[in-house]
Amino acid sequence: MALTVPQKVRNLYQRFDKKILKTMPDVYSNDIQFRDPLHALNGLSNLTEYLSGMMDDLLECRFEFHHSMELPERGEALLFWTMHYRHKKLAGGKQLELTGNTHILFKDKVYYHRDYFDAGSMLYEHLPVMGFAIRQIKKKVGAK
């Protein structure tokens, strides 16, 4: 039985390393539109270059998919995940976690991919000066 497009996306990101770059054309269309809180990219080559650059400083990264809402007849899915990662320049390389979700639109391949996550939790909170300031602000407003 052939994998659905959402299953292909989950399989692609379960282990996030440079090995996935060569299989991206199997999952994404050449005219992919990619959005996340930090970037807006168009085209498979731009997405591949962006992900490759992101991987350069990662010591380890994998996505754990919890559940999804899929509407195959509309070519749409929402995937809920936790990213487990270690980065050379964040938190001394310690294991970090980030929760988020991905909205995809697809036909035979994904042509729209949008990630939703808290960029502060992913990046800024783990930088020495900025992280301290963000944690203090969150504490004052009662955010976790």
Side-chain angles (χ1 to χ4, degrees):
M1 187 166 143
L3 295 176
T4 66
V5 173
Q7 287 170 326
K8 289 179 183 180
V9 171
R10 286 190 291 270
N11 288 350
L12 184 71
Y13 288 97
Q14 282 182 340
R15 185 179 173 108
F16 189 73
D17 60 26
K18 296 233 181 195
K19 292 175 188 168
I20 73 166
L21 298 176
K22 64 182 173 234
T23 61
M24 290 185 50
D26 299 335
V27 178
Y28 291 105
S29 66
N30 286 329
D31 62 347
I32 179 69
Q33 291 183 26
F34 176 88
R35 306 289 181 266
D36 71 15
L38 304 171
H39 294 87
L41 306 164
N42 294 316
L44 182 57
S45 61
N46 290 330
L47 176 58
T48 302
E49 184 178 320
Y50 166 61
L51 295 180
S52 177
M54 181 188 303
M55 292 171 184
D56 286 342
D57 289 329
L58 284 171
L59 299 169
E60 172 186 342
C61 185
R62 67 180 176 82
F63 286 78
E64 176 185 358
F65 291 91
H66 306 292
H67 62 283
S68 63
M69 294 189 304
E70 299 177 25
L71 301 166
E73 66 282 356
R74 288 182 44 181
E76 186 170 11
L78 190 58
L79 311 172
F80 296 87
W81 45 261
T82 299
M83 180 173 76
H84 304 273
Y85 64 108
R86 292 177 42 235
H87 191 282
K88 290 178 187 177
K89 298 176 182 175
L90 299 176
K94 293 180 184 164
Q95 182 79 38
L96 301 170
E97 288 185 355
L98 175 71
T99 58
N101 60 72
T102 298
H103 177 220
I104 58 172
L105 300 176
F106 57 90
K107 292 180 183 157
D108 58 326
K109 295 181 181 184
V110 176
Y111 63 87
Y112 177 82
H113 176 135
R114 181 156 190 166
D115 286 336
Y116 295 92
F117 58 84
D118 180 353
S121 292
M122 177 186 184
L123 180 64
Y124 309 123
E125 288 181 24
H126 304 291
L127 299 173
V129 175
M130 188 179 285
F132 176 77
I134 291 172
R135 287 189 299 276
Q136 293 306 307
I137 291 167
K138 280 186 162 185
K139 196 181 291 182
K140 289 212 186 275
V141 298
K144 292 185 179 186

